[in-house]
Amino acid sequence: MATKQSKKATENELLENPEVIAERIGRGEAFLKKNSKILGGVLIAAIVLIGGILFFQINNQNQNEKAQAEMFQAVYFFEQDSIEFALNGDGINKGFLSIVEDYPRTDAANLANFYIGSIYLSERKFQEALDYLEDFSSDDYLVQSKAYSLIGDANLELDNTDAAISNYTKAARTNENKFMTPKYLAKLAVAQEEAGKIADAIATYTEIEEKYFESYEYSAARKHKARLEGLAAK
């Protein structure tokens, strides 16, 4: 204990010694002189990096606001079933395809991917629909589950049954509710039967029967469940 106190006292005396302080300051100055170019480079790099991040964020926000304003007419065309104008514009206003190309990484372009995928799916352009729908993501559970369902539809049409099952499952398990979940489960059961997974399809129809007996899908689920159980018993 005495040794530690003595050592600490000695260190304090050294730190209070003007010559020791001057020597240490000298070391610091020498280090700065020797490494000034390196330190300056690091400082400049940090400033450039921070500046770049701020510029990207501000520019992206400005781009997004501009894109959302320009997309307004495309959404209107979509709602009016003017699909060609919605996709490609009318010569004055941009369409969804231009929004995605001209304003990448914006929220507007992300939403445009959903619209484009939906349009291509309705036109039976299933691979094109997948390309855009898979680039879409949303924090809104209802919209995201709808996107999963559409991806499942496209995959099922392309005979990618495993991918269809995966996406219908995501759709059904995302924010489960009595309105949309039974619809997604019904699609899931169809895909499972298509893949030859009869037991899984029966289990899915059973879930509709037991949990969503007030849904539109309830009667069809009971009928298809009985049919599959008959096939399984043969």
Side-chain angles (χ1 to χ4, degrees), residues 5-44:
Q5 290 178 345
S6 175
K7 184 177 180 181
K8 187 174 181 180
T10 303
E11 288 177 352
N12 289 336
E13 290 175 4
L14 287 172
L15 289 174
E16 292 173 1
N17 188 321
E19 293 181 0
V20 173
I21 293 173
E23 181 184 353
R24 295 197 175 188
I25 291 174
R27 289 180 192 171
E29 291 176 348
F31 176 81
L32 290 175
K33 288 179 181 179
K34 183 178 180 181
N35 299 281
S36 59
K37 290 183 178 180
I38 296 174
L39 293 173
V42 171
L43 180 61
I44 291 172

Side-chain angles (χ1 to χ4, degrees), residues 105-133:
R105 299 181 300 277
T106 62
D107 292 339
N110 179 53
L111 184 57
N113 282 323
F114 180 84
Y115 281 111
I116 296 168
S118 300
I119 291 171
Y120 281 150
L121 188 61
S122 69
E123 294 180 338
R124 302 187 65 81
K125 297 177 180 178
F126 303 120
Q127 187 56 56
E128 290 91 336
L130 273 181
D131 292 340
Y132 285 94
L133 287 169

Side-chain angles (χ1 to χ4, degrees), residues 169-186:
T169 300
K170 289 178 184 178
R173 302 308 175 204
T174 300
N175 191 34
E176 296 183 34
N177 61 83
K178 64 181 181 179
F179 302 105
M180 299 306 299
T181 302
K183 299 181 187 299
Y184 300 145
L185 287 173

Side-chain angles (χ1 to χ4, degrees), residues 33-227:
K33 288 179 181 179
K34 183 178 180 181
N35 299 281
S36 59
K37 290 183 178 180
I38 296 174
L39 293 173
V42 171
L43 180 61
I44 291 172
I47 292 172
V48 169
L49 178 61
I50 294 170
I53 292 172
L54 290 174
F55 173 80
F56 175 81
Q57 291 176 338
I58 294 171
N59 182 66
N60 196 59
Q61 182 178 349
N62 292 336
Q63 289 285 90
N64 186 56
E65 291 175 357
K66 185 177 180 181
Q68 287 183 343
E70 293 191 7
M71 196 169 79
F72 176 82
Q73 190 63 38
V75 174
Y76 174 78
F77 286 139
F78 178 85
E79 292 174 346
Q80 298 300 312
D81 290 328
S82 299
I83 302 305
E84 182 62 28
F85 286 159
L87 280 177
N88 299 302
D90 60 357
I92 299 174
N93 301 286
K94 291 180 182 291
F96 292 127
L97 290 171
S98 294
I99 296 294
V100 170
E101 182 177 350
D102 296 343
Y103 303 102
R105 299 181 300 277
T106 62
D107 292 339
N110 179 53
L111 184 57
N113 282 323
F114 180 84
Y115 281 111
I116 296 168
S118 300
I119 291 171
Y120 281 150
L121 188 61
S122 69
E123 294 180 338
R124 302 187 65 81
K125 297 177 180 178
F126 303 120
Q127 187 56 56
E128 290 91 336
L130 273 181
D131 292 340
Y132 285 94
L133 287 169
E134 288 180 340
D135 281 340
F136 170 77
S137 64
S138 176
D139 293 331
D140 186 311
Y141 293 132
L142 292 176
V143 177
Q144 185 60 66
S145 60
K146 178 64 174 177
Y148 287 141
S149 177
L150 295 178
I151 293 172
D153 292 345
N155 275 300
L156 191 62
E157 293 289 350
L158 292 169
D159 294 325
N160 301 328
T161 52
D162 287 343
I165 289 170
S166 174
N167 281 282
Y168 287 144
T169 300
K170 289 178 184 178
R173 302 308 175 204
T174 300
N175 191 34
E176 296 183 34
N177 61 83
K178 64 181 181 179
F179 302 105
M180 299 306 299
T181 302
K183 299 181 187 299
Y184 300 145
L185 287 173
K187 289 186 175 186
L188 173 59
V190 170
Q192 289 168 331
E193 182 179 354
E194 188 76 16
K197 299 179 179 181
I198 304 302
D200 290 345
I202 291 173
T204 300
Y205 284 129
T206 300
E207 182 175 353
I208 297 173
E209 185 180 18
E210 293 180 349
K211 293 174 65 176
Y212 303 102
F213 47 84
E214 295 180 344
S215 69
Y216 175 81
E217 289 73 25
Y218 173 76
S219 296
R222 291 191 66 188
K223 181 180 72 174
H224 290 303
K225 177 187 173 183
R227 176 178 57 81

